[in-house]
Amino acid sequence: MRRPEMDGGMVMGGFPRPGRALKAVLITLFAVSVAGAVIFNWAPGGATGERILRWFMCDLNLVLVRPWTLLTSGLITSPQEVTHVLYALIGIYFLGSSLEERWGGARFIRFLLVSVAAGNLLSLLLNLLVPASAGAIFHRSLLFGPGAAIAATAIAWSREHAHSQVRLFFVLPVTGKILFWVTIGFCVLGLIYYQSNPEGAFSPFGGVLAGILLSGSPSPARSAWLRLKLAFLRRKGPTLSAESIAGLDRTRAKRSAKVGGPTLRVVKGGMDDELKDRKPPTDKRYLN
């Protein structure tokens, strides 16, 4: 898979070169998956192994007690089948490399973390708002898996490369615009086959929402924040200045408060005063 130099290029077959952040994500996801399988199946295995893994899965009834599971659940894959982690690694690897290249490693990792949390929070919201009579699809309490992160990565890639092409399942060439709707279509299929989806039926939709809001330069979320900040600054009216926008007025005020007076002072004295008070020498043989 070759990265296009500009939007509209063809993403061909091959293997992209991941950056440091993507390598760290892939290694961590695979290592946690193997460790989870060992804990669940071998050591200690049984009920004890399951209880250990539950400390890192997102239990919607215990989110306030275990808030870290909103993020750690994205690292847990099925300990009973290897395909769950393999599909996750393939999806994040092929689509995430170009996102890391465009955004940088820090933004890419933040994006994955926010997408996992968004998927779990959406499931939590529906679990609280929808009555129990609506069905078990809305009240699956235990969630785990990187499905939200994969959906968010696919949506972000499709928005960043709207006119580029990628080979879906390594066979079908589709543009970014088509991949956008294909991703949403798979999320809808997850509603039908929700019992086989460990992430829950609605977590991928949280990833889709995160992918839409956080992709682009600037992203819709950042654009909304900048508009809100600009509206707040305009309310200052005549007091608005370039220094206030950059935050330099607060820094200058703190510095003045520490000094307790003006930053510049006139110091009396100098060469003229020194020459005026100096007496001429008695021996002038050495004067030119």
Side-chain angles (χ1 to χ4, degrees):
M1 180 172 172
R2 177 178 59 84
R3 297 186 192 92
E5 296 296 331
M6 62 182 66
D7 198 20
M10 183 74 167
V11 180
M12 304 297 293
F15 296 94
R17 180 178 298 177
R20 293 182 179 179
L22 182 56
K23 288 180 181 178
V25 171
L26 297 176
I27 293 173
T28 302
L29 183 60
F30 180 73
V32 172
S33 176
V34 172
V38 172
I39 292 173
F40 184 84
N41 296 308
W42 296 96
T48 304
E50 183 177 353
R51 283 196 300 270
I52 294 175
L53 289 183
R54 280 177 174 268
W55 274 90
F56 302 97
M57 298 177 181
C58 184
D59 191 335
L60 299 182
N61 299 320
L62 298 174
V63 170
L64 296 180
V65 181
R66 303 172 185 174
W68 63 86
T69 59
L70 291 173
L71 299 177
T72 58
S73 61
L75 294 173
I76 306 298
T77 56
S78 175
Q80 297 174 317
E81 54 182 354
V82 70
T83 54
H84 191 197
V85 65
L86 287 181
Y87 290 151
L89 292 173
I90 291 173
I92 296 176
Y93 167 68
F94 280 102
L95 297 179
S97 57
S98 62
L99 294 181
E100 181 190 11
E101 184 179 10
R102 285 198 175 199
W103 296 349
R107 180 184 174 184
F108 179 66
I109 291 179
R110 289 196 303 268
F111 171 77
L112 294 179
L113 294 176
V114 172
S115 63
V116 172
N120 289 327
L121 289 175
L122 178 60
S123 299
L124 176 62
L125 181 64
L126 294 175
N127 182 58
L128 295 175
L129 297 181
V130 178
S133 59
I137 186 174
F138 296 98
H139 302 283
R140 182 170 183 169
S141 60
L142 195 62
L143 307 177
F144 64 92
I150 297 173
T153 302
I155 292 295
W157 192 95
S158 66
R159 286 172 52 82
E160 295 281 355
H161 306 81
H163 302 288
S164 299
Q165 289 186 348
V166 62
R167 292 191 179 277
L168 188 63
F169 304 123
F170 305 102
V171 177
L172 301 175
V174 296
T175 62
K177 291 183 177 180
I178 297 178
L179 180 63
F180 180 90
W181 295 108
V182 169
T183 304
I184 295 179
F186 275 105
C187 293
V188 174
L189 287 177
L191 296 176
I192 302 175
Y193 299 95
Y194 73 93
Q195 292 184 350
S196 62
N197 191 357
E199 292 89 350
F202 300 99
S203 291
F205 288 97
V208 168
L209 183 61
I212 293 174
L213 294 178
L214 301 179
S215 61
S217 298
S219 63
R222 180 167 177 79
S223 297
W225 162 248
L226 293 177
R227 292 192 191 98
L228 181 63
K229 185 176 181 180
L230 179 61
F232 174 76
L233 292 174
R234 283 177 173 173
R235 293 182 60 183
K236 290 187 176 182
T239 62
L240 180 62
S241 63
E243 292 181 346
S244 63
I245 296 176
L248 297 178
D249 53 349
R250 294 190 297 270
T251 304
R252 181 170 296 178
K254 292 181 180 178
R255 188 178 302 171
S256 300
K258 291 181 180 179
V259 175
T263 57
L264 298 177
R265 291 180 294 174
V266 178
V267 180
K268 295 182 179 181
M271 185 61 69
D272 293 338
D273 294 338
E274 184 179 350
L275 294 176
K276 186 185 298 183
D277 298 334
R278 183 182 299 177
K279 295 181 181 180
T282 55
D283 190 357
K284 300 181 180 181
R285 289 177 297 175
Y286 297 101
L287 296 178
N288 294 327

mmCIF file of all heavy atoms in Angstrom, residues 22 25-30 83-94 146 150:
data_model
loop_
_atom_site.group_PDB
_atom_site.id
_atom_site.type_symbol
_atom_site.label_atom_id
_atom_site.label_comp_id
_atom_site.label_asym_id
_atom_site.label_seq_id
_atom_site.Cartn_x
_atom_site.Cartn_y
_atom_site.Cartn_z
ATOM 1 N N LEU A 22 2.315 4.617 15.596
ATOM 2 C CA LEU A 22 1.537 3.478 15.096
ATOM 3 C C LEU A 22 2.187 2.158 15.489
ATOM 4 O O LEU A 22 1.491 1.194 15.840
ATOM 5 C CB LEU A 22 1.384 3.579 13.583
ATOM 6 C CG LEU A 22 0.545 2.481 12.920
ATOM 7 C CD1 LEU A 22 -0.845 2.412 13.527
ATOM 8 C CD2 LEU A 22 0.464 2.704 11.415
ATOM 9 N N VAL A 25 1.229 1.488 19.018
ATOM 10 C CA VAL A 25 -0.165 1.058 19.124
ATOM 11 C C VAL A 25 -0.320 -0.404 18.731
ATOM 12 O O VAL A 25 -0.973 -1.193 19.431
ATOM 13 C CB VAL A 25 -1.063 1.961 18.255
ATOM 14 C CG1 VAL A 25 -2.478 1.390 18.165
ATOM 15 C CG2 VAL A 25 -1.120 3.372 18.831
ATOM 16 N N LEU A 26 0.283 -0.792 17.614
ATOM 17 C CA LEU A 26 0.153 -2.165 17.130
ATOM 18 C C LEU A 26 0.807 -3.162 18.092
ATOM 19 O O LEU A 26 0.237 -4.217 18.391
ATOM 20 C CB LEU A 26 0.771 -2.284 15.741
ATOM 21 C CG LEU A 26 0.111 -1.454 14.637
ATOM 22 C CD1 LEU A 26 0.888 -1.591 13.333
ATOM 23 C CD2 LEU A 26 -1.331 -1.845 14.437
ATOM 24 N N ILE A 27 1.987 -2.819 18.572
ATOM 25 C CA ILE A 27 2.680 -3.721 19.497
ATOM 26 C C ILE A 27 1.905 -3.859 20.802
ATOM 27 O O ILE A 27 1.761 -4.965 21.345
ATOM 28 C CB ILE A 27 4.114 -3.215 19.755
ATOM 29 C CG1 ILE A 27 4.953 -3.327 18.469
ATOM 30 C CG2 ILE A 27 4.773 -3.989 20.884
ATOM 31 C CD1 ILE A 27 6.325 -2.706 18.585
ATOM 32 N N THR A 28 1.395 -2.733 21.306
ATOM 33 C CA THR A 28 0.635 -2.773 22.565
ATOM 34 C C THR A 28 -0.639 -3.589 22.405
ATOM 35 O O THR A 28 -0.974 -4.416 23.275
ATOM 36 C CB THR A 28 0.295 -1.347 23.019
ATOM 37 O OG1 THR A 28 1.507 -0.599 23.184
ATOM 38 C CG2 THR A 28 -0.468 -1.369 24.337
ATOM 39 N N LEU A 29 -1.349 -3.375 21.308
ATOM 40 C CA LEU A 29 -2.594 -4.105 21.086
ATOM 41 C C LEU A 29 -2.339 -5.605 20.977
ATOM 42 O O LEU A 29 -3.070 -6.422 21.578
ATOM 43 C CB LEU A 29 -3.272 -3.586 19.814
ATOM 44 C CG LEU A 29 -4.640 -4.191 19.468
ATOM 45 C CD1 LEU A 29 -5.637 -3.943 20.583
ATOM 46 C CD2 LEU A 29 -5.153 -3.611 18.153
ATOM 47 N N PHE A 30 -1.297 -5.996 20.255
ATOM 48 C CA PHE A 30 -0.996 -7.421 20.106
ATOM 49 C C PHE A 30 -0.521 -8.023 21.430
ATOM 50 O O PHE A 30 -0.928 -9.143 21.798
ATOM 51 C CB PHE A 30 0.075 -7.609 19.028
ATOM 52 C CG PHE A 30 0.444 -9.048 18.795
ATOM 53 C CD1 PHE A 30 -0.423 -9.907 18.139
ATOM 54 C CD2 PHE A 30 1.656 -9.551 19.244
ATOM 55 C CE1 PHE A 30 -0.094 -11.240 17.924
ATOM 56 C CE2 PHE A 30 1.998 -10.871 19.036
ATOM 57 C CZ PHE A 30 1.124 -11.719 18.378
ATOM 58 N N THR A 83 -8.830 -14.091 15.428
ATOM 59 C CA THR A 83 -9.253 -13.227 14.320
ATOM 60 C C THR A 83 -9.651 -11.836 14.796
ATOM 61 O O THR A 83 -9.514 -10.865 14.046
ATOM 62 C CB THR A 83 -10.437 -13.870 13.581
ATOM 63 O OG1 THR A 83 -11.486 -14.166 14.527
ATOM 64 C CG2 THR A 83 -10.006 -15.154 12.899
ATOM 65 N N HIS A 84 -10.129 -11.727 16.030
ATOM 66 C CA HIS A 84 -10.553 -10.422 16.540
ATOM 67 C C HIS A 84 -9.381 -9.448 16.547
ATOM 68 O O HIS A 84 -9.481 -8.314 16.058
ATOM 69 C CB HIS A 84 -11.139 -10.578 17.946
ATOM 70 C CG HIS A 84 -11.831 -9.349 18.445
ATOM 71 N ND1 HIS A 84 -12.132 -9.128 19.770
ATOM 72 C CD2 HIS A 84 -12.284 -8.250 17.785
ATOM 73 C CE1 HIS A 84 -12.749 -7.981 19.907
ATOM 74 N NE2 HIS A 84 -12.845 -7.425 18.715
ATOM 75 N N VAL A 85 -8.241 -9.858 17.079
ATOM 76 C CA VAL A 85 -7.087 -8.969 17.134
ATOM 77 C C VAL A 85 -6.446 -8.813 15.759
ATOM 78 O O VAL A 85 -5.926 -7.735 15.426
ATOM 79 C CB VAL A 85 -6.065 -9.476 18.168
ATOM 80 C CG1 VAL A 85 -5.465 -10.809 17.763
ATOM 81 C CG2 VAL A 85 -4.973 -8.439 18.385
ATOM 82 N N LEU A 86 -6.489 -9.854 14.911
ATOM 83 C CA LEU A 86 -5.881 -9.746 13.590
ATOM 84 C C LEU A 86 -6.591 -8.723 12.725
ATOM 85 O O LEU A 86 -5.957 -7.903 12.052
ATOM 86 C CB LEU A 86 -5.875 -11.114 12.899
ATOM 87 C CG LEU A 86 -4.874 -12.142 13.419
ATOM 88 C CD1 LEU A 86 -4.960 -13.437 12.622
ATOM 89 C CD2 LEU A 86 -3.458 -11.590 13.387
ATOM 90 N N TYR A 87 -7.923 -8.742 12.715
ATOM 91 C CA TYR A 87 -8.669 -7.757 11.939
ATOM 92 C C TYR A 87 -8.405 -6.343 12.451
ATOM 93 O O TYR A 87 -8.312 -5.384 11.668
ATOM 94 C CB TYR A 87 -10.157 -8.060 12.001
ATOM 95 C CG TYR A 87 -10.557 -9.307 11.239
ATOM 96 C CD1 TYR A 87 -11.658 -10.064 11.623
ATOM 97 C CD2 TYR A 87 -9.834 -9.723 10.129
ATOM 98 C CE1 TYR A 87 -12.031 -11.210 10.929
ATOM 99 C CE2 TYR A 87 -10.196 -10.867 9.430
ATOM 100 C CZ TYR A 87 -11.288 -11.598 9.827
ATOM 101 O OH TYR A 87 -11.649 -12.737 9.139
ATOM 102 N N ALA A 88 -8.294 -6.209 13.772
ATOM 103 C CA ALA A 88 -8.020 -4.885 14.340
ATOM 104 C C ALA A 88 -6.645 -4.388 13.920
ATOM 105 O O ALA A 88 -6.475 -3.219 13.534
ATOM 106 C CB ALA A 88 -8.131 -4.950 15.864
ATOM 107 N N LEU A 89 -5.638 -5.255 13.983
ATOM 108 C CA LEU A 89 -4.279 -4.863 13.597
ATOM 109 C C LEU A 89 -4.204 -4.481 12.125
ATOM 110 O O LEU A 89 -3.557 -3.489 11.756
ATOM 111 C CB LEU A 89 -3.307 -6.006 13.897
ATOM 112 C CG LEU A 89 -3.069 -6.331 15.375
ATOM 113 C CD1 LEU A 89 -2.224 -7.593 15.504
ATOM 114 C CD2 LEU A 89 -2.410 -5.172 16.089
ATOM 115 N N ILE A 90 -4.875 -5.249 11.274
ATOM 116 C CA ILE A 90 -4.839 -4.967 9.839
ATOM 117 C C ILE A 90 -5.506 -3.630 9.529
ATOM 118 O O ILE A 90 -4.980 -2.807 8.776
ATOM 119 C CB ILE A 90 -5.512 -6.112 9.057
ATOM 120 C CG1 ILE A 90 -4.666 -7.378 9.146
ATOM 121 C CG2 ILE A 90 -5.717 -5.722 7.595
ATOM 122 C CD1 ILE A 90 -5.330 -8.605 8.551
ATOM 123 N N GLY A 91 -6.682 -3.402 10.110
ATOM 124 C CA GLY A 91 -7.398 -2.161 9.836
ATOM 125 C C GLY A 91 -6.643 -0.932 10.306
ATOM 126 O O GLY A 91 -6.511 0.058 9.562
ATOM 127 N N ILE A 92 -6.119 -0.967 11.528
ATOM 128 C CA ILE A 92 -5.404 0.191 12.052
ATOM 129 C C ILE A 92 -4.082 0.394 11.318
ATOM 130 O O ILE A 92 -3.656 1.523 11.071
ATOM 131 C CB ILE A 92 -5.173 0.021 13.566
ATOM 132 C CG1 ILE A 92 -6.519 0.001 14.299
ATOM 133 C CG2 ILE A 92 -4.311 1.141 14.118
ATOM 134 C CD1 ILE A 92 -6.408 -0.250 15.780
ATOM 135 N N TYR A 93 -3.431 -0.701 10.933
ATOM 136 C CA TYR A 93 -2.136 -0.585 10.258
ATOM 137 C C TYR A 93 -2.269 0.068 8.884
ATOM 138 O O TYR A 93 -1.567 1.035 8.567
ATOM 139 C CB TYR A 93 -1.508 -1.976 10.125
ATOM 140 C CG TYR A 93 -0.328 -2.029 9.191
ATOM 141 C CD1 TYR A 93 0.865 -1.400 9.518
ATOM 142 C CD2 TYR A 93 -0.412 -2.705 7.973
ATOM 143 C CE1 TYR A 93 1.950 -1.448 8.659
ATOM 144 C CE2 TYR A 93 0.671 -2.760 7.115
ATOM 145 C CZ TYR A 93 1.845 -2.127 7.463
ATOM 146 O OH TYR A 93 2.914 -2.167 6.603
ATOM 147 N N PHE A 94 -3.169 -0.439 8.043
ATOM 148 C CA PHE A 94 -3.240 0.061 6.673
ATOM 149 C C PHE A 94 -3.854 1.451 6.579
ATOM 150 O O PHE A 94 -3.452 2.238 5.726
ATOM 151 C CB PHE A 94 -4.032 -0.924 5.801
ATOM 152 C CG PHE A 94 -3.231 -2.100 5.352
ATOM 153 C CD1 PHE A 94 -3.371 -3.339 5.969
ATOM 154 C CD2 PHE A 94 -2.321 -1.990 4.312
ATOM 155 C CE1 PHE A 94 -2.625 -4.425 5.559
ATOM 156 C CE2 PHE A 94 -1.559 -3.071 3.899
ATOM 157 C CZ PHE A 94 -1.716 -4.295 4.525
ATOM 158 N N PRO A 146 -11.494 -3.010 20.050
ATOM 159 C CA PRO A 146 -11.141 -1.751 19.383
ATOM 160 C C PRO A 146 -12.057 -1.393 18.217
ATOM 161 O O PRO A 146 -11.640 -0.662 17.310
ATOM 162 C CB PRO A 146 -9.721 -2.026 18.889
ATOM 163 C CG PRO A 146 -9.731 -3.495 18.586
ATOM 164 C CD PRO A 146 -10.682 -4.136 19.569
ATOM 165 N N ILE A 150 -11.391 1.373 15.161
ATOM 166 C CA ILE A 150 -11.283 0.989 13.749
ATOM 167 C C ILE A 150 -12.277 1.782 12.899
ATOM 168 O O ILE A 150 -11.943 2.284 11.822
ATOM 169 C CB ILE A 150 -11.515 -0.519 13.596
ATOM 170 C CG1 ILE A 150 -10.439 -1.298 14.347
ATOM 171 C CG2 ILE A 150 -11.527 -0.919 12.131
ATOM 172 C CD1 ILE A 150 -10.685 -2.786 14.392
#
